Amino acid sequence: MTIAVTENIQSLYDVEIKLGLRRSHDPDFFMEWCRDFEELEDTEKTTLDRIKGSYIYHINQGCLSEGTVNLLMVSPLLFLAGFLESPFSLRSEQSVEISDYDGSVTYHGRIDALVLNNNLWIVLVEAKRSSFSFLVAVPQALTYMTASPNGDKPTYGLVTNGDHFMFVKLQQSQYDLSDDFSLFKRSSNELYRVLQILKSFQNL
């Protein structure tokens, strides 16, 4: 039986029960997002400030579609992080199928943006309309990440609805989540940290 991911994987509970994943309680399991990073260049900060300003301008006009979120936020971030250049390869609307824990059900879905390097999945981006909670996309992203050919190596993901960003790590049957980076934090531009983490994935 083949069913749609979006209709049947809607919570972390679904991910754990249907796919056999479990959240790691080891504080060292997902340290890649919270270490010290190189300072961004001034030109990168200026660009990120403009991206944030442009997004907030458009979101103030009303809810944004998933395609608009990708256009305003995801594509510029991938470009700045270097994922749109050699040796990386971008695949959009990539179709995947994943079997459940006991192999009785196959889930079918499409990934919004997939960046590959030598057939290894490096970054998975799952964008949701800005009117939706971005946490809706986390279990779906984890489901897609289980189709990674990385074997024992970790797979990393970025989940966003434009307003919020969260990184995900999956290794074998364990996963964990980063903090929530909010675009509406007034004291700083959280896109700085998001870009630093994305850039660091190139060296993992």
Side-chain angles (χ1 to χ4, degrees), residues 12-28:
L12 292 177
Y13 176 83
D14 288 340
V15 165
E16 295 181 0
I17 296 300
K18 297 178 180 180
L19 300 178
L21 303 184
R22 65 186 185 277
R23 188 164 183 176
S24 175
H25 297 293
D26 180 357
D28 296 325

Side-chain angles (χ1 to χ4, degrees), residues 50-150:
R50 292 184 64 186
I51 292 171
K52 177 180 178 178
S54 176
Y55 180 82
I56 291 176
Y57 167 77
H58 284 90
I59 198 66
N60 285 341
Q61 309 299 312
C63 295
L64 303 180
S65 69
E66 188 170 326
T68 304
V69 171
N70 280 330
L71 180 65
L72 292 173
M73 301 297 299
V74 177
S75 295
L77 281 171
L78 290 179
F79 176 78
L80 288 172
F83 283 115
L84 302 186
E85 303 171 27
S86 177
F88 299 98
S89 179
L90 180 66
R91 300 285 186 269
S92 179
E93 291 293 318
Q94 187 79 9
S95 178
V96 295
E97 291 190 348
I98 307 103
S99 295
D100 69 356
Y101 189 55
D102 61 11
S104 61
V105 177
T106 299
Y107 299 99
H108 176 81
R110 289 185 176 275
I111 302 170
D112 291 336
L114 176 64
V115 180
L116 303 104
N117 181 14
N118 297 324
N119 297 320
L120 298 181
W121 298 19
I122 306 299
V123 175
L124 171 70
V125 178
E126 177 74 10
K128 290 296 174 185
R129 286 190 299 177
S130 59
S131 59
F132 294 168
S133 168
F134 82 112
L135 290 176
V136 172
V138 173
Q140 293 171 21
L142 278 168
T143 301
Y144 295 140
M145 291 166 71
T146 63
S148 167
N150 282 6

Side-chain angles (χ1 to χ4, degrees), residues 37-51:
F37 299 102
E38 291 185 13
E39 185 71 15
L40 296 177
E41 297 179 0
D42 289 342
T43 53
E44 292 174 316
K45 293 180 180 179
T46 299
T47 301
L48 292 173
D49 289 341
R50 292 184 64 186
I51 292 171

Side-chain angles (χ1 to χ4, degrees), residues 146-158:
T146 63
S148 167
N150 282 6
D152 294 340
K153 297 179 181 179
T155 299
Y156 299 93
L158 170 62

